[in-house]
C-alpha cells in the first residue's frame, strides 16, 4: 500500500524517467556500481536520480510522511541517500525495499570567486577526479581524497585525509559551505555565517541532518607538480618505516607540514605473501627536481622492490591515478578502524595482531587484506581550529595520533561471516591492547567503521550532545534518524 502511494506521488511531481525499478537496465547498473558487493546485495524497491536541488527538496517533502510512518506502519517507506557509494558499510547508502536517492546527476564542478578566495563548488554526486580535472593548470589545489574515483560526499561529511592534510587539515575542515535540503524541504546554506551550528555538525556528522546537494571547498595556491608516489618492500623492513614515521610525527611543531606519509601492510591470497607500502607526498611550493630530504628516509631505504618505486615529481591528476580502481560491486569489502597515540610498541603490537589473525581467513577466495597506519599530525589537527572547527573531537594538544585501519576485499558471500569475525576480533584486540598501554584514542573514523563501532559516542560527550541538539533543531521529527536508517545515528531510537 505505502509503496504504491509513494511511487504515485513521486511520478506526479518528479520526472518519471529518473525513477528506476528492479529489472530496469538502469536500476541494475546503478545498484551494481557500489564499491562493495555487500551494498549491492541490498535491493531497494526503486532508485530516484534527481537533476536539481529543487527535485531533491520535492523528493524529501513527498517521502517525509511515509518515512516517518504518518500514514500507518503498513504504509511506511524509508529511504537512503547515495553520493558516490564508496563507503562499504551495508545500508549506509542503500536500503532494502525502500527508495534510494541517488545524487549521481548532481555532478557539476565550478570555480567561483568569493572576494579574494577562489572556491570550487561541487555537486554531491561528483567524483574527485572531475574536481582535479577542473583545477588542473590553474595553480590551485583542494583538500580532496587520494583517488580519482572517490565520491565527494562521504569523506566531506565524515573527516577525510588528503595529500595536503598535513598542511590543510581534514577534507571536511575545508568545506566553506554546505547547501542542504532539510527535513522540511527547505534549502539552506550552512557556513560560518549562516546556520553555523549545522555547518560544524555536518563536518563529521554524516547523513544525520539533511541531504547535502553541494559542497563549496576552499582552494589554495598549489604548484603544478609535487613529489609523490609509493615505495614497496617486504615485512622485514616494516619496523624501520614505522620508526621513521614516528620520528617525523614526534617533531610536532617542527614536523614538515608539506610532507604526508601513510604506511600499509597487505596480504593477497593470489601471491600468498605479505608486502608493504609507504605512500609519500611532499606538496610544498619549493618542490624542485631534487627529492625533498624529508621523504628520503622512506624513498631511499633499502632493501625495497626497486622496480615498483614510483616516487617522482607528478601532477595531482597523476597522483590520484595511482590509486586502485573501484571494484564496481563485484567484490565484497569491509573497513574497521581504531585510533591510537603515536607509540611504537602499540603499533608493532597491532602489526602482530593483524598478521596472526589473518591466518584464519587466508584460504578465502580472492582475499586481499591490509593494515594501514594513517597519521594525524599535530599540524593536521590544528587546522580544524584554524578553519572553524568540526565534530570529530580530536584535540591537537593530545596529538599526534595514528588511525589504524583494517580493510579486506574478497569474492564469496559464503566467506562474509568468517572475514567480518576476523576483522572484528583483530580490531577489538588492538583496541584492548592500546587501552592497556594507555595509548587508546576514543576516535573512530566514520567512513572506515563497521556496524558494531559506536562512532558518534567516540566523538566525545560534548560533541555528541551538540550533534543531537543540531538534529532536534533542524529535524525535530527525526526524519534523518528514523526515516533514513542507514549509517551511524545520533539517538538510540527507532
Amino acid at each position: 500500500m505505502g509503496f504504491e502511494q509513494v511511487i504515485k506521488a513521486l511520478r506526479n511531481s518528479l520526472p518519471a524517467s529518473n525513477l528506476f525499478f528492479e529489472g530496469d537496465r538502469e536500476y541494475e547498473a546503478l545498484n551494481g556500481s557500489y564499491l562493495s558487493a555487500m551494498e549491492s546485495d541490498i535491493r531497494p524497491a526503486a532508485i530516484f536520480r534527481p537533476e536539481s536541488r529543487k527535485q531533491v527538496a520535492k523528493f524529501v517533502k513527498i517521502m517525509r510522511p511515509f518515512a516517518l510512518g504518518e500514514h500507518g506502519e503498513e504504509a511506511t517507506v524509508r529511504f537512503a541517500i547515495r553520493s558516490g557509494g564508496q563507503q562499504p558499510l551495508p545500508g549506509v547508502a542503500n536500503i532494502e525495499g525502500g527508495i534510494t536517492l541517488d545524487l549521481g546527476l548532481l555532478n557539476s564542478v565550478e570555480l567561483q570567486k568569493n572576494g579574494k578566495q577562489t572556491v570550487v563548488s561541487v555537486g554531491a554526486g561528483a567524483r574527485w577526479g572531475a574536481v582535479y580535472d577542473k583545477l588542473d593548470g590553474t595553480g590551485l589545489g583542494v583538500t580532496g581524497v587520494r583517488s580519482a574515483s572517490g565520491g565527494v560526499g562521504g569523506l566531506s561529511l565524515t573527516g577525510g585525509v588528503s595529500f595536503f592534510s598535513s598542511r590543510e587539515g581534514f577534507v571536511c575542515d575545508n568545506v566553506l559551505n554546505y547547501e542542504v535540503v532539510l527535513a522540511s524541504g527547505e534549502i539552506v546554506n550552512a557556513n560560518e555565517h549562516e546556520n553555523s551550528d549545522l555547518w560544524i555538525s555536518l563536518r563529521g556528522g554524516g547523513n544525520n541532518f539533511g541531504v547535502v546537494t553541494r559542497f563549496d571547498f576552499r582552494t589554495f595556491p598549489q604548484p603544478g607538480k609535487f613529489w609523490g608516489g609509493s615505495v614497496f618492500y617486504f615485512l622485514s623492513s616494516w619496523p624501520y618505516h614505522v620508526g621513521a614515521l614516528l620520528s617525523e610525527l614526534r617533531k610536532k611543531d617542527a614536523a614538515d607540514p608539506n610532507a604526508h606519509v601513510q604506511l600499509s601492510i597487505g596480504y593477497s591470497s593470489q601471491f600468498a605473501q605479505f608486502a608493504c607500502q609507504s605512500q609519500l607526498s611532499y606538496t610544498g611550493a619549493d618542490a624542485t627536481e631534487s627529492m625533498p630530504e624529508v621523504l628520503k628516509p622512506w624513498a631511499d631505504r633499502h632493501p625495497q622492490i626497486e622496480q615498483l618505486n614510483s616516487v617522482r615529481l607528478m601532477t595531482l591528476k597523476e597522483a590520484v591515478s595511482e590509486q586502485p580502481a573501484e571494484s564496481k560491486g563485484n567484490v565484497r569489502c569491509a573497513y574497521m578502524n581504531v585510533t591510537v597515540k603515536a607509540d611504537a610498541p602499540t603499533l608493532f603490537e597491532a602489526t602482530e595482531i593483524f598478521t596472526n589473525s589473518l591466518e584464519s581467513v587466508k584460504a578465502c577466495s580472492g582475499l586481499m587484506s591490509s593494515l594501514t597506519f594513517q597519521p594525524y599530525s599535530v599540524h593536521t589537527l590544528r587546522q580544524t581550529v584554524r578553519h572553524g572547527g568540526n565534530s570529530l573531537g580530536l584535540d591537537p594538544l593530545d596529538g599526534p595520533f595514528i588511525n589504524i585501519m583494517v580493510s579486506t576485499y574478497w569474492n564469496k558471500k559464503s566467506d562474509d561471516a568468517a572475514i567480518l569475525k576476523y576483522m572484528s576480533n583483530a580490531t577489538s584486540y588492538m583496541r584492548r591492547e592500546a587501552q592497556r598501554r594507555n595509548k587508546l584514542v576514543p576516535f573512530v573514523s566514520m567512513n572506515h567503521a563497521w556496524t558494531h563501532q559506536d562512532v558518534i559516542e567516540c566523538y566525545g560527550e560534548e560533541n555528541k550532545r551538540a550533534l543531537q541538539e543540531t538534529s532536534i533543531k533542524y529535524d525535530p521529527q527525526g526524519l534523518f534518524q528514523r526515516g533514513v536508517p542507514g549509517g551511524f545515528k545520533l539517538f538510540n531510537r527507532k
Side-chain angles (χ1 to χ4, degrees):
M1 176 183 175
F3 177 68
E4 288 79 6
Q5 288 178 296
V6 166
I7 296 303
K8 181 179 179 180
L10 291 173
R11 280 178 165 157
N12 286 341
S13 301
L14 294 164
S17 59
N18 289 18
L19 195 59
F20 306 108
F21 302 94
E22 194 164 5
D24 291 346
R25 180 177 59 83
E26 295 89 345
Y27 174 103
E28 301 302 335
L30 291 168
N31 205 56
S33 64
Y34 288 93
L35 173 67
S36 173
M38 299 182 79
E39 189 77 307
S40 294
D41 285 347
I42 296 170
R43 307 291 289 180
I47 300 172
F48 176 65
R49 305 192 87 197
E51 297 175 337
S52 68
R53 62 182 186 175
K54 289 184 178 180
Q55 289 184 7
V56 174
K58 283 185 179 179
F59 175 89
V60 170
K61 287 180 180 180
I62 292 168
M63 289 299 302
R64 185 177 61 229
F66 293 96
L68 290 172
E70 294 177 6
H71 296 301
E73 186 61 36
E74 72 283 355
T76 299
V77 180
R78 296 182 174 90
F79 67 99
I81 306 162
R82 175 182 181 175
S83 174
Q86 299 289 287
Q87 190 173 347
L89 180 69
V92 72
N94 207 1
I95 186 165
E96 187 71 36
I99 313 289
T100 294
L101 178 66
D102 184 321
L103 303 175
L105 298 179
L106 304 182
N107 56 11
S108 62
V109 181
E110 298 177 359
L111 284 174
Q112 300 177 347
K113 277 287 188 181
N114 182 7
K116 295 182 179 180
Q117 171 77 60
T118 300
V119 175
V120 58
S121 295
V122 186
R127 304 287 176 137
W128 279 106
V131 180
Y132 300 142
D133 285 345
K134 190 73 173 182
L135 292 176
D136 192 39
T138 65
L140 297 172
V142 66
T143 305
V145 301
R146 290 171 291 201
S147 170
S149 63
V152 169
L155 285 177
S156 304
L157 292 167
T158 61
V161 174
S162 165
F163 294 114
F164 307 105
S165 282
S166 293
R167 188 180 72 223
E168 308 293 342
F170 294 108
V171 173
C172 71
D173 292 340
N174 286 267
V175 182
L176 296 174
N177 178 72
Y178 296 91
E179 180 183 83
V180 193
V181 176
L182 300 177
S184 63
E186 182 185 2
I187 303 170
V188 303
N189 288 298
N191 53 58
E192 186 178 8
H193 305 291
E194 301 174 79
N195 305 304
S196 58
D197 51 352
L198 179 59
W199 178 55
I200 298 298
S201 293
L202 286 166
R203 289 175 156 193
N207 66 358
N208 282 296
F209 308 102
V211 183
V212 177
T213 52
R214 193 188 76 234
F215 301 83
D216 297 337
F217 292 93
R218 61 179 289 274
T219 65
F220 44 83
Q222 183 62 39
K225 290 189 175 183
F226 61 87
W227 278 88
S230 292
V231 179
F232 293 87
Y233 48 96
F234 294 108
L235 205 54
S236 59
S237 297
W238 176 254
Y240 168 83
H241 283 254
V242 173
L245 173 61
L246 293 175
S247 177
E248 180 65 21
L249 287 174
R250 286 172 182 156
K251 294 177 184 177
K252 296 194 174 183
D253 290 339
D256 194 324
N258 294 306
H260 186 79
V261 179
Q262 176 179 290
L263 309 181
S264 298
I265 297 178
Y267 177 88
S268 167
S269 60
Q270 180 180 359
F271 301 106
Q273 66 177 346
F274 290 98
C276 304
Q277 178 185 18
S278 294
Q279 290 181 279
L280 314 177
S281 63
Y282 180 85
T283 59
D286 57 344
T288 67
E289 293 294 329
S290 299
M291 182 187 297
E293 290 294 323
V294 70
L295 298 186
K296 289 183 178 180
W298 300 276
D300 287 351
R301 178 70 177 184
H302 292 272
Q304 60 175 266
I305 307 173
E306 293 187 27
Q307 61 269 36
L308 296 181
N309 186 321
S310 64
V311 180
R312 65 194 189 279
L313 274 174
M314 59 175 64
T315 66
L316 182 55
K317 286 180 66 175
E318 290 171 333
V320 298
S321 70
E322 288 200 356
Q323 303 302 308
E326 61 187 85
S327 63
K328 295 188 178 179
N330 54 7
V331 174
R332 313 181 77 74
C333 77
Y335 302 156
M336 299 179 194
N337 72 100
V338 178
T339 305
V340 301
K341 295 183 179 180
D343 173 70
T346 302
L347 296 180
F348 292 136
E349 180 71 27
T351 302
E352 186 174 352
I353 291 168
F354 168 73
T355 55
N356 290 341
S357 299
L358 196 58
E359 292 294 329
S360 64
V361 293
K362 280 186 175 179
C364 294
S365 173
L367 181 77
M368 291 187 295
S369 191
S370 63
L371 175 77
T372 297
F373 291 167
Q374 177 109 270
Y376 299 161
S377 70
V378 171
H379 278 292
T380 299
L381 301 173
R382 283 185 175 157
Q383 301 319 301
T384 295
V385 179
R386 175 187 165 208
H387 295 316
N390 63 35
S391 300
L392 304 179
L394 294 169
D395 190 337
L397 295 177
D398 296 329
F401 307 130
I402 302 284
N403 181 257
I404 303 173
M405 181 175 73
V406 177
S407 59
T408 307
Y409 295 76
W410 67 100
N411 290 338
K412 295 181 179 180
K413 188 174 183 177
S414 57
D415 289 327
D416 287 2
I419 287 174
L420 293 176
K421 181 180 179 181
Y422 136 69
M423 294 178 69
S424 178
N425 287 347
T427 50
S428 294
Y429 190 9
M430 292 174 195
R431 183 180 179 86
R432 287 196 303 272
E433 285 300 300
Q435 191 165 34
R436 182 179 66 81
R437 297 172 185 273
N438 198 31
K439 301 299 181 182
L440 180 67
V441 178
F443 174 76
V444 172
S445 169
M446 183 183 288
N447 207 63
H448 303 126
W450 207 250
T451 50
H452 66 284
Q453 299 190 283
D454 193 343
V455 173
I456 302 299
E457 190 71 30
C458 291
Y459 287 177
E461 184 179 345
E462 183 178 344
N463 285 306
K464 180 179 179 179
R465 182 169 59 252
L467 291 169
Q468 290 175 334
E469 290 172 353
T470 301
S471 172
I472 292 168
K473 176 179 176 180
Y474 292 93
D475 181 17
Q477 292 180 294
L479 175 63
F480 292 97
Q481 300 303 302
R482 297 183 289 126
V484 181
F488 297 93
K489 301 289 100 172
L490 305 176
F491 302 92
N492 295 320
R493 67 188 189 189
K494 300 294 183 181

